[in-house]
Amino acid sequence: GRVKTGIDFFAQDTLLAKPNIIFIMFGMNDSDRELLLNHDDMSIKQIGKSLLIFKENLPKLVTLAKNVADRVIIMSTPIYDEFATCGEPPIKGGYDLVKKYADYAKTFALNNNLDFIDIFNATSICFKEDGTYNLDHTHPTMKGHYFIAKEILQEQGYTLDFQTLSPLTLKWNEEYNIYRDLFVFESLFDLSSKSLNERIKCAKEYIVTDKDPWYYKPMIERYIQNRERKEVLLKNLITI
């Protein structure tokens, strides 16, 4: 998502967990890095506009977070890994563009006395040295996510070694990921006014049209499989 997404869904999503600590990390999607492929004046102007929108909206999201949480921590986004040789050809200039968002996040945090974790700098070092952290220039692998989690904990004085998670933690994580699929699909396609049967019908029709299959199809398949469990999932998450 983008910072604007975080603002729009703050009440329905973030507040659900009743957080006392909120981590805020945006910038990758906000950057509209794909526009770098167009090489035209209109795209260049939109890229500049997108950065201004990010700078306008980050303070708004922080204000929402500070109203409900005891502590707000800003994190810079991981790098756009322009240097990886695997996957699709990288977008030239993507690294420097995303760095502008990371730099602003850092400046904003320091100027407003907020805790800051420099994920961009950390991933700049390790992702360049080891291509297994990121296979598509954008999304960290499980190894990449582990590294980021380790950085977050180390900044707070904790250590993270390879270890087996408790069954309860694993169960919560599994149920939470399923619930988010349900929430995201219904939010993206504005299904709040439709009945359960209509929502599932919409999901099945979307799969048939084969739009953006690489991104949406797995999520929608999980939606069809688990939608009737939504209320039970929410209850389990709160209980755990």
Side-chain angles (χ1 to χ4, degrees):
R2 302 167 183 254
V3 173
K4 183 65 165 58
T5 314
I7 294 171
D8 291 343
F9 295 108
F10 188 83
Q12 309 100 299
D13 185 31
T14 307
L15 288 185
L16 176 67
K18 299 179 181 179
N20 60 334
I21 300 176
I22 294 179
F23 295 84
I24 296 177
M25 180 176 71
F26 288 96
M28 181 67 77
N29 291 343
D30 298 87
S31 71
D32 282 326
R33 62 194 179 281
E34 294 85 358
L35 293 177
L36 290 170
L37 297 170
N38 296 339
H39 306 291
D40 60 67
D41 291 342
M42 185 176 296
S43 296
I44 292 173
K45 289 181 180 179
Q46 182 58 50
I47 289 171
K49 182 179 178 181
S50 296
L51 182 56
L52 291 176
I53 291 172
F54 178 81
K55 291 180 177 181
E56 290 173 1
N57 283 331
L58 183 60
K60 296 177 184 177
L61 181 57
V62 168
T63 298
L64 289 175
K66 290 175 72 173
N67 285 339
V68 299
D70 298 326
R71 186 181 180 194
V72 176
I73 301 174
I74 303 293
M75 301 193 298
S76 53
T77 179
I79 65 169
Y80 174 77
D81 195 355
E82 189 177 338
F83 316 98
T85 57
C86 54
E88 295 292 324
I91 300 172
K92 292 184 178 180
Y95 176 89
D96 288 337
L97 177 59
V98 173
K99 185 176 185 297
K100 293 179 181 179
Y101 289 77
D103 289 344
Y104 178 75
K106 181 176 182 178
T107 299
F108 177 82
L110 295 177
N111 288 344
N112 290 277
N113 296 315
L114 296 169
D115 292 322
F116 177 74
I117 303 177
D118 199 347
I119 298 299
F120 186 92
N121 182 63
T123 53
S124 289
I125 298 170
C126 79
F127 283 24
K128 289 180 183 179
E129 295 176 349
D130 185 344
T132 61
Y133 284 105
N134 184 317
L135 299 181
D136 68 352
H137 310 292
T138 304
H139 301 94
T141 60
M142 290 301 292
K143 184 176 180 180
H145 281 298
Y146 177 88
F147 175 82
I148 292 170
K150 191 172 184 177
E151 287 293 312
I152 292 170
L153 290 174
Q154 285 179 341
E155 287 289 338
Q156 299 176 83
Y158 299 100
T159 58
L160 176 62
D161 297 316
F162 284 100
Q163 57 186 336
T164 302
L165 297 175
S166 71
L168 192 62
T169 301
L170 291 171
K171 178 177 174 59
W172 189 92
N173 187 63
E174 178 184 357
E175 304 247 288
Y176 178 75
N177 286 330
I178 294 173
Y179 185 86
R180 280 192 66 87
D181 278 343
L182 305 182
F183 174 82
V184 169
F185 178 72
E186 293 188 347
S187 299
L188 283 173
F189 296 94
D190 193 21
L191 301 179
S192 59
S193 63
K194 298 184 181 295
S195 68
L196 175 57
N197 288 338
E198 288 174 325
R199 297 179 191 195
I200 294 176
K201 179 182 177 182
C202 178
K204 291 179 178 178
E205 289 175 348
Y206 192 89
I207 287 181
V208 172
T209 62
D210 207 32
K211 297 177 182 177
D212 303 315
W214 69 273
Y215 185 82
Y216 289 116
K217 187 173 182 179
M219 176 183 69
I220 296 172
E221 288 175 341
R222 291 190 293 270
Y223 179 87
I224 294 170
Q225 180 181 358
N226 295 289
R227 177 54 184 86
E228 294 183 1
R229 298 179 53 222
K230 183 178 180 180
E231 285 67 32
V232 174
L233 286 168
L234 178 58
K235 183 178 180 180
N236 289 345
L237 289 173
I238 294 173
T239 302
I240 294 173

